[in-house]
Amino acid sequence: MTEALEYDVVVLGAGPVGEVLADRVRAAGLSAAVVESELVGGECSYWACIPSKALLRPVIARADARKVPGLQRYVGGDLDTRAVLAHRDEYVGHWKDDGQVRWLDGIGADLFRGHGRLYGTRKVSVTSPEGEHHVLTARHAVAVCTGTRAVIPDLPGAAEARPWTSRDATSAQQVPDRLVVVGGGVVGVEMATAWRALGAEVTVLVRGGGLLPRMEPFAGELVAEALTEAGATVRTHVSVAEVVRNGGGGPVTVVLDDGERIEADEILFATGRAPRTDDIGLDTIGLEHGSWLPVDESCRVAGSEWLYAVGDVNHRALLTHQGKYQARIAGAAIAARAARVPLLETDAWGAHSATADHAAVPQVVFSDPEAAAVGLSLAEAEAAGHRVRAVDYDISGVAGAGLYADGYQGRARMVVDLDREVLLGVTFVGPGVGELIHSATIAVAGEVPISRLWHAVPAFPTISEVWLRLLETYRDQ
């Protein structure tokens, strides 16, 4: 039996992005249906941001404590693996979504569990695990918030070897004796950091010249040095040619392009992501199956009046916080259009235009040391044609850094637009720098003139004093 229902807005995907969008349109008085095929709360809550940071927090805390006088002899042993994994399990609700479902119910959105597919203009068909079928019609908008999935490269034996993806790496219940990590991006670096600290023998294989290639080069260099010091092996300019799983559940043989063979118990491919749009009915509305969905500044799909693509699926910025930001933008735009209110380029809150996804996207890599960046790197700024100067400072020269940890090592860079004297990008690497990045985001997103940044006085003695030192270095160059 098929049941037909009508809502103002239908949201495909109940991850953080879909939840925020549903909340925004409900707050505006619109009815909303949310469709989810897995757990309410999505990738971030169960297999990405939350579990990875729960695994990494004890690692970073121990690393910091080992550099504080009076604590070293108390933190010299191994981590309590069982306690770390139990802490992770608690934070993901043991992979049950009861709390998230209660939240969704609390905002007044209706949840439909099952696989949702577009079914022509403003329609979504949902088939539940029990075989029930619903056709949901949206009066105003359908929002695709289905996120991305990990990509397993098309290599001989890769699929048959049952490799880890990011989901396996954040949810594993046992520490592998030997782990090969393929890829030097954020997932590869964070999981190498976590599992090495938990006792795995870790080898990181990077096709390019270094880790964290989308950040300033020194970020990857400092993180690679720390991983090596922790006992991991980091190899650059190498490629995997083949993967062989020996026996039903036996070890893995990783064959490199030069014929070298590496033995491991597990292999993690952290080599990219693809949009989860391959089976959501895009073909029924003339769009390409499995494609990224280009959008305008309100996250409305190009050429459509009713379809929105929010979060990872639009390929603007594959980060949870940016997806939630987009959801606030899209929710405001949908509500305004439903009320036939003129949609201005911006309002008092900037609520109708996703401008921060262009040049002020912040990111933190929770490695040891942390790496945090916002905006453009020096190379990106130069490639974009800006006349710029990079201003560097060794963070260990700040009084707060020495108090934070003995032998503090870190580096900061700001990229200055010389024509306008505003910041285009900022990068920090060092213990605790993740908490610095929002100040940099404000400076970049707000295009705060350097002449005004002089008056944002950092508290003493904190690591934030690096801001003063960067400005002094710029003045004196």
Side-chain angles (χ1 to χ4, degrees):
M1 177 179 177
T2 298
E3 184 178 12
L5 300 167
E6 191 172 59
Y7 292 87
D8 291 320
V9 180
V10 177
V11 181
L12 269 178
V17 175
E19 288 179 318
V20 170
L21 194 147
D23 183 45
R24 291 298 82 213
V25 297
R26 285 294 300 128
L30 302 179
S31 61
V34 181
V35 181
E36 177 54 57
S37 61
E38 295 186 296
L39 296 176
V40 175
E43 194 81 10
C44 176
S45 298
Y46 304 102
W47 299 287
C49 318
I50 298 302
S52 65
K53 303 320 168 276
L55 288 173
L56 285 159
R57 179 59 194 146
V59 177
I60 304 305
R62 182 183 66 167
D64 286 347
R66 284 177 169 175
K67 298 170 186 173
V68 177
L71 287 177
Q72 289 98 330
R73 68 189 183 96
Y74 297 106
V75 289
D78 296 334
L79 291 170
D80 183 339
T81 300
R82 181 176 297 180
V84 172
L85 297 182
H87 172 70
R88 184 264 327 263
D89 293 352
E90 185 71 22
Y91 256 83
V92 299
H94 299 275
W95 290 276
K96 295 180 180 178
D97 62 2
D98 299 0
Q100 300 268 17
V101 171
R102 285 194 296 271
W103 181 88
L104 205 59
D105 184 61
I107 66 170
D110 290 345
L111 172 65
F112 291 83
R113 290 192 182 273
H115 183 67
R117 300 182 82 254
L118 292 165
Y119 191 62
T121 302
R122 291 188 173 86
K123 293 184 183 294
V124 174
S125 68
V126 186
T127 303
S128 75
E130 297 75 28
E132 296 177 348
H133 188 66
H134 297 90
V135 174
L136 311 178
T137 299
R139 298 183 189 93
H140 300 294
V142 174
V144 177
C145 308
T146 49
T148 57
R149 57 177 174 80
V151 173
I152 302 297
D154 186 18
L155 295 172
E160 295 77 11
R162 302 182 306 283
W164 276 9
T165 66
S166 54
R167 284 195 171 196
D168 303 288
T170 58
S171 63
Q173 294 296 323
Q174 295 183 15
V175 180
D177 290 333
R178 300 163 300 174
L179 172 66
V180 168
V181 177
V182 183
V186 177
V187 172
V189 163
E190 290 189 345
M191 291 299 93
T193 300
W195 290 108
R196 175 63 200 126
L198 290 169
E201 179 184 307
V202 173
T203 301
V204 182
L205 304 177
V206 185
R207 184 168 55 184
L211 303 180
L212 304 177
R214 295 188 178 180
M215 287 187 169
E216 298 285 6
F218 65 81
E221 292 166 6
L222 289 174
V223 171
E225 289 174 9
L227 274 172
T228 302
E229 185 178 341
T233 300
V234 179
R235 299 183 57 179
T236 59
H237 301 293
V238 294
S239 296
V240 176
E242 183 181 3
V243 182
V244 179
R245 174 74 73 174
N246 302 306
V252 172
T253 299
V254 183
V255 183
L256 303 184
D257 52 1
D258 63 359
E260 181 183 352
R261 304 168 78 87
I262 301 173
E263 300 296 324
D265 297 286
E266 299 292 349
I267 179 171
L268 163 63
F269 279 109
T271 51
R273 301 190 69 81
R276 294 184 64 181
T277 59
D278 49 343
D279 190 21
I280 62 166
L282 291 182
D283 54 310
T284 70
I285 56 171
L287 296 176
E288 185 180 350
H289 169 86
S291 63
W292 302 101
L293 298 174
V295 296
D296 65 15
E297 294 300 330
S298 67
C299 295
R300 187 164 60 174
V301 173
S304 175
E305 294 185 351
W306 57 272
L307 184 65
Y308 291 73
V310 191
D312 285 8
V313 292
N314 62 35
H315 210 226
R316 289 168 67 110
L318 276 62
L319 295 161
T320 296
H321 47 275
Q322 292 299 130
K324 292 166 74 172
Y325 160 74
Q326 291 177 12
R328 294 190 291 272
I329 300 297
I334 290 169
R337 287 172 174 141
R340 301 185 183 279
V341 173
L343 189 62
L344 304 177
E345 181 179 344
T346 184
D347 62 15
W349 291 89
H352 294 148
S353 183
T355 57
D357 276 351
H358 293 297
V361 178
Q363 183 170 27
V364 179
V365 184
F366 293 86
S367 48
D368 176 26
E370 290 179 347
V374 62
L376 303 178
S377 67
L378 174 62
E380 289 170 336
E382 290 176 337
H386 297 286
R387 192 172 69 90
V388 294
R389 179 190 302 166
V391 181
D392 294 334
Y393 195 81
D394 184 340
I395 302 177
S396 66
V398 175
L403 291 168
Y404 188 95
D406 279 355
Y408 188 104
Q409 291 186 349
R411 187 173 170 186
R413 168 174 287 179
M414 64 182 191
V415 178
V416 181
D417 182 327
L418 295 175
D419 294 320
R420 295 186 297 147
E421 286 214 312
V422 298
L423 304 186
L424 296 178
V426 181
T427 300
F428 301 116
V429 182
V433 299
E435 296 301 334
L436 292 180
I437 201 60
H438 191 58
S439 59
T441 302
I442 292 170
V444 174
E447 298 182 336
V448 181
I450 285 180
S451 61
R452 287 303 305 164
L453 284 177
W454 275 106
H455 300 281
V457 181
F460 179 87
T462 66
I463 301 175
S464 294
E465 198 181 12
V466 69
W467 277 109
L468 176 58
R469 304 307 172 206
L470 285 167
L471 292 170
E472 289 175 335
T473 302
Y474 174 70
R475 178 198 60 193
D476 296 340
Q477 281 182 342

